[in-house]
Amino acid sequence: MNRFDDLLAHAATVKDRHILDLFAADPDRAARFSAEFGSWFFDFSKTNIDAAGLKLLIDLAEKTGVAARRDAMFAGEKINETEGRAVLHMAWRNFRDTITVDGHDVMPALRDTLGRMQDFAEDVRTGRFTGQGGRITDVVNIGIGGSDLGPVMASVACTSFADGPRLHFISNVDGAHAHDVLSGLNPETTLVIVASKTFTTIETMTNAETARAWMAAKVTDPAAQFSAISTATDRTAAFGIPPERVFGFEDWVGGRYSVWSPIGLSLMIGIGPGYFAEFHAGAAAMDRHFREAPLAENLPVLLALVGIWHNQVLGHATRAVLPYEQRLARLPAYLQQLEMESNGKRVSMDGADLPWHSGPVVWGEPGTNGQHAFYQLIHQGTRVVPCEFLLAARGREPYLEHQHLLLVANCLAQSEALLRGRSLAEATEIMAKKGLTGAELDRQARHRVFPGNRPSTTLLIEVLTPFTLGGIVALYEHRVFVEGVILGINSFDQWGVELGKELALALAPVLEGSSEGAGKDGSTLGLARRIRAARA
Ligand SMILES: O=P(O)(O)OC[C@H]1O[C@](O)(CO)[C@@H](O)[C@@H]1O
């Protein structure tokens, strides 16, 4: 007996029916299978979930203790059991509450660091803090994973609110990344922020050294234009960054959940502390909703349950995230880390093999670009890809509102096409009108059939602002948490990234030729030999 049995049995009886028939049978379906909180509206009516299925899904959330686990998380219990840590990134966006860890109120220290960040951001923005060649014109954030993706994603999303220095990001250990960013900048007016929770990550530390050397070639005191964000203040000091420009945070903020913390400093400098506070406020509003709304009206819970329905129950292994909003272009990449690093686990919390599949592969691109690239497979491929559309009703450039209308029309058209499809009879009629007949008509028509009955959801906001963005990101964070609880896994560790890191360190001497690489497989050694020869 497994926790999905009831749902699997239900799905077996309904999986072949057409979602359109659900709409025909229930004129209120769109309202019944959607939920709203403040600025965020979630429509999941274009899925094969019916009232009985939804009830089973809510029962599952109840049975697996989602509410109790959520309360334990907000209470500072050490729910990240494999690392013995609390999970309290929410503390960094809600400065009204008192939050205790190990019986100690953590909020005064957070308020103090936030205040220092705000002062520093304002100093950079207003020119009170300068580079050795004058006012700071550019800020380079050096980080990777959660110390990069959150600030990049949010700074692109908040483009129309940015009035500070230009923001740049270096993440990849490929020197081309550092080269391409730094070569366009003036070291005398650039601030470098080294963002690394651990301050040991090889990519970040290597890029930080590169940036320091780049700056040292032009300014007398490179450290004076460096700032650091880390939980490891001893290491930031060893790197030579003075404590007044070091912003610490605690180990109960996971890397992929850290954009709210000092890791968001580059964003704060770009958009200013006021808009950064709105980003926090949107997320804090979503936190309150998550804590207070009944499960059946709770947006993060509903997003998670729809995900469980598609992945664990119906067996769809991937999910496409399709923002119809150019400024959410980096959201799919951000969600890839958030969801796949959190819920891509093969054992349950107690270490036993997971008896069901882990979280889905998440991928996507902004519409309408995706339409001209991979939507072909989504519409006519043999596998079903549940699609998650994100859409803002209004754009931010009034003079381009006619373009925005076209964008919105495309988004709605795609979810309608996925739902409705085009039958062979309809395709035949269209091709017959073009003059085709006989076997050729039949052949051509078959290529133009869309099976339809393909599920999608739509998350609608009125307009993209730091506030609505904050809510979207918190919504996804909590969705990942709920899915993790239902799957019985620890969403807050990431042991799966360790092996490759260790092997990379061991391979460096093989590539340099100072080690034979004893015990390595023939493929790895053969590749290393060729690379050595090419570099000689
Ligand atoms: O902030 P750090 O410590 O440099 O880590 C960067 C990233 O590396 C990871 O640990 C995975 O390799 C992520 O979880 C994290 O966001």
Side-chain angles (χ1 to χ4, degrees):
M1 174 81 187
N2 98 31
R3 61 186 61 172
F4 301 111
D5 280 350
D6 292 345
L7 276 157
L8 289 165
H10 174 68
T13 66
V14 303
K15 68 179 172 33
D16 295 326
R17 94 185 141 196
H18 206 294
I19 303 167
L20 271 178
D21 294 338
L22 293 173
F23 280 101
D26 177 5
D28 290 333
R29 177 169 175 81
R32 239 193 275 281
F33 292 85
S34 58
E36 185 169 14
F37 163 64
S39 309
W40 304 273
F41 176 78
F42 177 57
D43 178 345
F44 60 103
S45 59
K46 291 191 185 96
T47 68
N48 202 349
I49 298 174
D50 59 13
L54 185 57
K55 182 172 179 322
L56 288 173
L57 286 164
I58 304 281
D59 288 349
L60 177 69
E62 277 166 3
K63 262 192 329 227
T64 49
V66 166
R69 198 81 183 156
R70 171 197 64 198
D71 295 345
M73 174 169 74
F74 277 93
E77 286 179 31
K78 296 196 170 154
I79 63 161
N80 175 358
E81 294 175 15
T82 55
E83 295 182 310
R85 291 177 186 165
V87 174
L88 279 175
H89 48 276
M90 304 80 71
W92 269 104
R93 56 202 187 205
N94 186 356
F95 293 88
R96 292 194 323 206
D97 289 352
T98 298
I99 293 184
T100 53
V101 178
D102 293 330
H104 169 72
D105 180 4
V106 298
M107 295 313 293
L110 262 61
R111 285 192 201 98
D112 179 61
T113 306
L114 181 73
R116 289 202 306 114
M117 282 169 67
Q118 289 167 336
D119 290 348
F120 181 58
E122 283 300 12
D123 285 353
V124 173
R125 288 165 56 81
T126 57
R128 277 194 298 268
F129 175 91
T130 60
Q132 284 148 81
R135 200 176 171 127
I136 296 293
T137 54
D138 297 89
V139 174
V140 177
N141 184 87
I142 298 181
I144 197 164
S147 300
D148 168 73
L149 286 163
V152 181
M153 177 277 295
S155 69
V156 175
C158 294
T159 300
S160 54
F161 296 85
D163 58 357
R166 290 177 292 264
L167 304 184
H168 312 268
F169 297 87
I170 301 176
S171 52
N172 200 327
V173 77
D174 185 343
H177 201 180
H179 170 86
D180 292 353
V181 170
L182 296 177
S183 58
L185 303 180
N186 175 2
E188 293 171 319
T189 58
T190 297
L191 169 72
V192 175
I193 300 175
V194 184
S196 174
K197 184 178 164 183
T198 55
F199 230 68
T200 57
T201 305
I202 191 89
E203 292 90 338
T204 300
M205 299 325 297
T206 307
N207 280 321
E209 298 285 357
T210 298
R212 188 163 57 182
W214 167 79
M215 198 168 275
K218 268 287 178 60
V219 306
T220 45
D221 183 7
Q225 284 173 230
F226 268 65
S227 168
I229 300 160
S230 183
T231 55
T233 41
D234 49 337
R235 295 200 189 98
T236 60
F239 193 85
I241 302 176
E244 65 271 19
R245 283 195 307 285
V246 174
F247 302 92
F249 61 106
E250 305 66 17
D251 70 2
W252 37 258
V253 178
R256 52 193 174 276
Y257 299 87
S258 63
V259 64
W260 323 101
S261 77
I263 291 290
L265 179 63
S266 53
L267 175 67
M268 188 191 265
I269 294 173
I271 63 174
Y275 283 131
F276 195 81
E278 289 188 22
F279 178 53
H280 274 167
M286 189 57 72
D287 290 342
R288 281 194 295 283
H289 167 73
F290 180 48
R291 294 177 79 169
E292 291 164 9
L295 296 183
E297 295 159 28
N298 195 306
L299 294 189
V301 173
L302 290 170
L303 256 77
L305 292 176
V306 173
I308 294 280
W309 170 258
H310 286 141
N311 184 8
Q312 280 73 22
V313 180
L314 295 183
H316 306 318
T318 85
R319 189 178 93 242
V321 177
L322 306 165
Y324 276 69
E325 173 65 60
Q326 180 59 26
R327 293 190 178 119
L328 292 180
R330 295 295 285 158
L331 186 70
Y334 174 82
L335 293 180
Q336 279 177 336
Q337 186 196 19
L338 181 66
E339 303 204 20
M340 293 162 75
E341 197 166 83
S342 296
N343 287 344
K345 309 285 163 65
R346 56 171 294 281
V347 295
S348 56
M349 192 66 97
D350 57 8
D353 286 350
L354 206 63
W356 36 77
H357 281 300
S358 56
V361 175
V362 177
W363 58 284
E365 277 286 318
T368 59
N369 294 12
Q371 290 175 208
H372 295 271
F374 53 77
Y375 277 42
Q376 164 65 42
L377 179 146
I378 289 181
H379 284 291
Q380 288 190 318
T382 52
R383 289 194 180 88
V384 173
V385 179
C387 292
E388 201 159 270
F389 295 101
L390 285 94
L391 181 62
R394 285 194 290 114
R396 287 208 58 87
E397 287 72 27
Y399 73 103
L400 291 175
E401 211 41 41
H402 63 289
Q403 287 200 212
H404 197 264
L405 199 73
L406 203 52
L407 177 78
V408 171
N410 269 278
C411 181
L412 297 188
Q414 290 300 326
S415 68
E416 188 187 354
L418 286 167
L419 169 69
R420 192 171 293 284
R422 173 174 284 159
S423 67
L424 181 59
E426 289 167 326
T428 304
E429 194 185 328
I430 291 167
M431 296 318 287
K433 281 196 185 131
K434 291 189 192 291
L436 295 189
T437 55
E440 186 58 5
L441 170 61
D442 185 49
R443 188 171 76 88
Q444 291 288 355
R446 291 177 70 80
H447 285 274
R448 287 158 174 83
V449 170
F450 290 65
N453 203 21
R454 300 211 156 176
S456 72
T457 61
T458 302
L459 181 68
L460 178 66
I461 55 172
E462 190 193 327
V463 65
L464 184 65
T465 63
F467 183 86
T468 52
L469 176 71
I472 290 172
V473 178
L475 169 61
Y476 275 96
E477 287 180 349
H478 293 319
R479 173 235 191 102
V480 166
F481 168 80
V482 173
E483 281 196 26
V485 174
I486 291 173
L487 298 176
I489 60 183
N490 181 3
S491 300
F492 299 102
D493 61 12
Q494 57 283 320
W495 301 109
V497 302
E498 294 302 325
L499 181 58
K501 289 186 194 172
E502 286 165 27
L503 293 178
L505 287 181
L507 271 167
V510 181
L511 292 169
E512 284 159 4
S514 58
S515 159
E516 288 297 314
K520 302 239 169 262
D521 62 88
S523 163
T524 306
L525 287 177
L527 290 166
R529 233 182 347 262
R530 277 178 175 271
I531 292 163
R532 265 203 317 270
R535 291 168 64 92

